[in-house]
Amino acid sequence: MSVSLTSLTQRPAWKALEEHYQNIRHLHLRTLFAEDTERGKRFACEGVGIYFDYSKNRITDETLRLLLELARSAALRERIDAMFQGEKINITEKRAVLHVALRAPRGQSIVVDGENVVPEVHAVLDKMTDFANRVRSGAWTGYSGKRIRTIINIGIGGSDLGPFMAYEALKYYSDRNLTVRFVSNIDGSELVEALRDLEPEETLFIVSSKTFTTLETLTNARSARIWCVEALGSEQAVAKHFVAVSTNAKEVEKFGIDTANMFEFWDWVGGRYSYDSAIGLSLMIAIGPERFRQMLSGFHAMDEHFRTAPFERNLPVLLGLIGIWYNNFFGAETVAVLPYDHYLGHLTAYLQQLDMESDGKHVDLQGNRVNYQTGPIIWGQPGTNGQHAFYQLIHQGTKLIPCDFIGFCQTLNPLGHHHDLLMANFFAQTEALAFGKTAEEVAADGVPAFQVAHRTFEGNRPTNTILADHLTPETLGKLIALYEHKVFVQGTIWQIDSFDQWGVELGKVLANRIVPELQSGSEPNLTHDSSTNTLIRRYRELRGAEL
Ligand code: F6P
């Protein structure tokens, strides 16, 4: 795709938004709702069963019109088509970006470098299905013939956060005779704690790494392998206790895992977009192949919505544009993602990588430094816990924090009135954030004068509400695809490459340089800055001291 675009901040739509911002920046949600009693319905839409209420945002019809104009000026439609058609839109790595192919139904055709990739995707899904069924049924046994009870996924970043988040999210549907644990950190304590109470004979390791060169993952995998071989008394045990998920067969073989036990994916799947590929093997074993495929069909439904729905009713487009409005015009630096569901406890951590590794870029596609803000800081944690921790700042602090509230109309675990109480809190928070409580209202409650200012809520704090029926594998797929495409929409408008991650490289290179300096027997010749040199010397002095 070659669309030449005027610099973002010079476009008429951008300039019009700047002017519009000056006109409405003080407009209060109280006024907007008072002037339009239908606002709660008009500024809402539903797509593939996900209800999206964006009425509690500081926007008018004109804001939306201008934001949609901005999207058009960024050739968003052409860019969506380019992604779905397998064009190499990850320009710095010269790769196609085709996570959407991972959930394309059998029979669909998506061509990369002259080859339809959909049959390959389904061949791997079939291989995963067969393996998952054998582990779940006990047909696949460990070296000593015992069935597998625990699966340990060793991976980091996209090879950990996705399957971990989804395993927790879909735990309700998982086979409770099997447990999945996730080890990511190179800190040995994590692996030691994960293995502490396990039977090596009943433990299966899935080494998940797109590149199969990642220091953390390979270090953990080597230590796990030693643990396994020492306990089972033979190198032969590795074949029954280790499988790999990777794009790099050569490195998998080098590590000593038979490539027959390797589940493949492809360089056109970014790490943070990969948990619905073979990277989700641990999840498939936990919830079963059928539910995994339901999740994929949820992803696909949202993909199709994103690809075909008019921008005015397109959930990822609206979510992305509203985010741009606060990020680039109100100067909001962060977005809080607040799921009101216990099972979504790891969603925000997952979205941090998805969003921040994708859109945390300071140069545009031409390599020029941008003169506008790009990706926001994503943070948050589930529901009412947050209310008793950081919501104070969202309600009454000096910073504007747009929030995404995510909730469900039905609970998977009906227990007394718990769910109504949970959702009452959910609705109450978005109401309080939007409308606040004026000083007059506070005083009218009989609050002593010295407290009135402290107990006043300005309101006008924006929120999105994302509401679905209940949490199923399919709903999770829809939700994740919603955020994947929201990130894409924003990256497109900011004209950045959302699919590379060069920003993580420097730290890796420097760490490799420091490793021998920490380990050498003789005093190393340190040539870092004075802070780093001093810290390394102090560490060397103390590292061997008794605990
Ligand atoms: O260092 C960042 C990163 O490259 C992520 O993008 C990726 O998800 C993670 O490391 C793990 O990489 P791999 O799957 O190749 O081990």
Side-chain angles (χ1 to χ4, degrees):
M1 185 195 71
S2 67
V3 184
S4 102
L5 301 167
T6 324
S7 145
L8 180 58
T9 53
Q10 293 309 313
R11 291 198 213 137
W14 185 275
K15 289 186 175 294
L17 278 162
E18 280 178 331
E19 203 182 315
H20 175 67
Y21 166 70
Q22 293 304 333
N23 295 335
I24 75 154
R25 53 196 281 247
H26 296 302
L27 199 54
H28 202 289
L29 283 165
R30 274 185 222 127
T31 313
L32 290 169
F33 273 86
E35 284 175 351
D36 175 4
T37 52
E38 293 295 298
R39 183 179 170 91
K41 284 191 200 139
R42 278 202 320 114
F43 286 79
C45 70
E46 188 161 358
V48 295
I50 306 272
Y51 184 75
F52 179 47
D53 176 349
Y54 54 97
S55 63
K56 294 192 184 87
N57 279 295
R58 294 166 68 171
I59 56 173
T60 62
D61 290 304
E62 178 66 357
T63 323
L64 274 184
R65 192 185 69 73
L66 292 173
L67 285 169
L68 289 165
E69 187 52 42
L70 184 69
R72 285 186 203 103
S73 79
L76 179 60
R77 172 66 64 207
E78 290 82 350
R79 196 130 166 111
I80 294 173
D81 291 343
M83 174 170 74
F84 277 82
Q85 284 160 13
E87 285 187 36
K88 298 197 173 169
I89 60 169
N90 175 356
I91 55 155
T92 71
E93 296 179 311
K94 297 195 172 137
R95 286 177 183 165
V97 174
L98 270 181
H99 40 279
V100 294
L102 298 172
R103 48 264 191 161
R106 242 184 252 277
Q108 196 177 318
S109 168
I110 300 178
V111 177
V112 181
D113 292 329
E115 207 180 313
N116 178 9
V117 297
V118 179
E120 287 179 71
V121 167
H122 283 273
V124 174
L125 277 172
D126 292 343
K127 182 172 169 179
M128 289 165 66
T129 299
D130 175 58
F131 181 71
N133 282 337
R134 281 193 286 153
V135 174
R136 284 165 67 84
S137 68
W140 176 282
T141 60
Y143 182 59
S144 68
K146 285 198 174 169
R147 68 184 292 170
I148 299 298
R149 298 270 172 216
T150 307
I151 290 128
I152 303 219
N153 184 80
I154 299 180
I156 197 163
S159 301
D160 166 74
L161 289 163
F164 185 25
M165 174 279 295
Y167 171 65
E168 291 296 331
L170 301 178
K171 201 172 231 170
Y172 177 84
Y173 302 95
S174 70
D175 177 348
R176 301 305 171 108
N177 294 313
L178 287 163
T179 307
V180 186
R181 295 182 183 177
F182 293 82
V183 172
S184 56
N185 201 324
I186 201 162
D187 181 342
S189 299
E190 187 175 353
L191 183 65
V192 168
E193 286 296 341
L195 299 180
R196 180 168 297 256
D197 54 348
L198 294 188
E199 282 297 335
E201 290 171 283
E202 299 175 352
T203 304
L204 173 74
F205 293 93
I206 302 179
V207 186
S208 297
S209 174
K210 179 174 170 179
T211 55
F212 229 79
T213 55
T214 304
L215 181 72
E216 291 87 343
T217 300
L218 289 188
T219 306
N220 279 324
R222 282 190 202 103
S223 299
R225 186 195 160 115
I226 293 169
W227 176 83
C228 173
V229 170
E230 276 180 5
L232 301 180
S234 169
E235 278 288 332
Q236 313 279 308
V238 172
K240 299 297 282 178
H241 292 270
F242 281 78
V243 299
V245 179
S246 188
T247 58
N248 191 344
K250 224 164 94 198
E251 288 297 323
V252 168
E253 212 168 356
K254 218 156 117 197
F255 179 85
I257 296 178
D258 185 347
T259 48
N261 294 334
M262 170 180 152
F263 299 84
E264 191 195 0
F265 65 116
W266 307 272
D267 71 1
W268 40 262
V269 183
R272 53 195 175 273
Y273 296 86
S274 69
Y275 97 77
D276 48 340
S277 72
I279 289 290
L281 181 62
S282 54
L283 173 69
M284 186 192 266
I285 297 172
I287 62 171
E290 201 177 316
R291 290 197 172 108
F292 192 88
R293 283 174 199 262
Q294 287 165 4
M295 182 188 75
L296 295 183
S297 73
F299 270 100
H300 181 66
M302 184 57 80
D303 293 343
E304 284 303 285
H305 168 82
F306 179 51
R307 195 175 65 78
T308 60
F311 287 172
E312 293 75 9
R313 295 196 303 278
N314 191 310
L315 268 52
V317 171
L318 292 170
L319 189 61
L321 291 177
I322 290 167
I324 299 249
W325 178 232
Y326 295 118
N327 189 70
N328 293 95
F329 298 92
F330 279 80
E333 300 249 307
T334 81
V335 173
V337 180
L338 308 165
Y340 276 64
D341 190 291
H342 167 75
Y343 291 116
L344 294 183
H346 295 273
L347 177 68
T348 311
Y350 167 78
L351 293 180
Q352 280 178 330
Q353 188 202 13
L354 178 67
D355 207 314
M356 293 163 79
E357 201 168 72
S358 296
D359 285 347
K361 312 286 163 67
H362 70 284
V363 293
D364 67 14
L365 292 165
Q366 276 75 44
N368 300 319
R369 200 184 199 297
V370 297
N371 61 350
Y372 44 84
Q373 287 290 316
T374 61
I377 298 158
I378 305 293
W379 64 286
Q381 60 158 286
T384 57
N385 293 0
Q387 288 174 211
H388 294 273
F390 53 79
Y391 275 41
Q392 165 65 38
L393 185 147
I394 305 180
H395 280 286
Q396 286 190 317
T398 53
K399 295 177 175 57
L400 180 73
I401 304 188
C403 304
D404 289 353
F405 278 69
I406 302 170
F408 299 95
C409 296
Q410 290 141 11
T411 175
L412 296 172
N413 297 295
L415 178 65
H417 297 303
H418 282 243
H419 195 61
D420 288 344
L421 298 180
L422 175 71
M423 292 309 287
N425 273 280
F426 177 108
F427 299 127
Q429 287 299 326
T430 64
E431 190 177 20
L433 286 164
F435 304 105
K437 191 164 183 177
T438 62
E440 294 72 41
E441 286 166 341
V442 174
D445 283 350
V447 167
F450 77 95
Q451 277 187 348
V452 168
H454 300 276
R455 294 176 66 169
T456 297
F457 289 72
E458 288 173 350
N460 221 12
R461 319 263 155 155
T463 58
N464 290 312
T465 294
I466 296 166
L467 199 61
D469 292 355
H470 65 293
L471 182 56
T472 62
E474 210 175 340
T475 316
L476 183 72
K478 291 172 185 172
L479 201 55
I480 299 305
L482 167 65
Y483 276 96
E484 284 178 348
H485 298 321
K486 170 249 165 185
V487 167
F488 176 83
V489 168
Q490 297 189 332
T492 297
I493 292 186
W494 292 321
Q495 290 184 260
I496 54 180
D497 189 334
S498 300
F499 302 103
D500 61 15
Q501 56 283 317
W502 301 107
V504 296
E505 293 307 319
L506 180 61
K508 290 186 194 172
V509 172
L510 295 188
N512 280 333
R513 192 176 134 201
I514 293 174
V515 171
E517 295 173 346
L518 300 185
Q519 294 184 331
S520 81
S522 58
E523 191 62 27
N525 177 27
L526 297 177
T527 55
H528 306 272
D529 59 276
S530 62
S531 160
T532 311
N533 285 345
T534 311
L535 291 167
I536 291 175
R537 285 197 190 101
R538 186 176 174 84
Y539 175 81
R540 281 179 58 91
E541 240 171 74
L542 295 176
R543 72 192 279 263
E546 257 178 60
L547 289 180

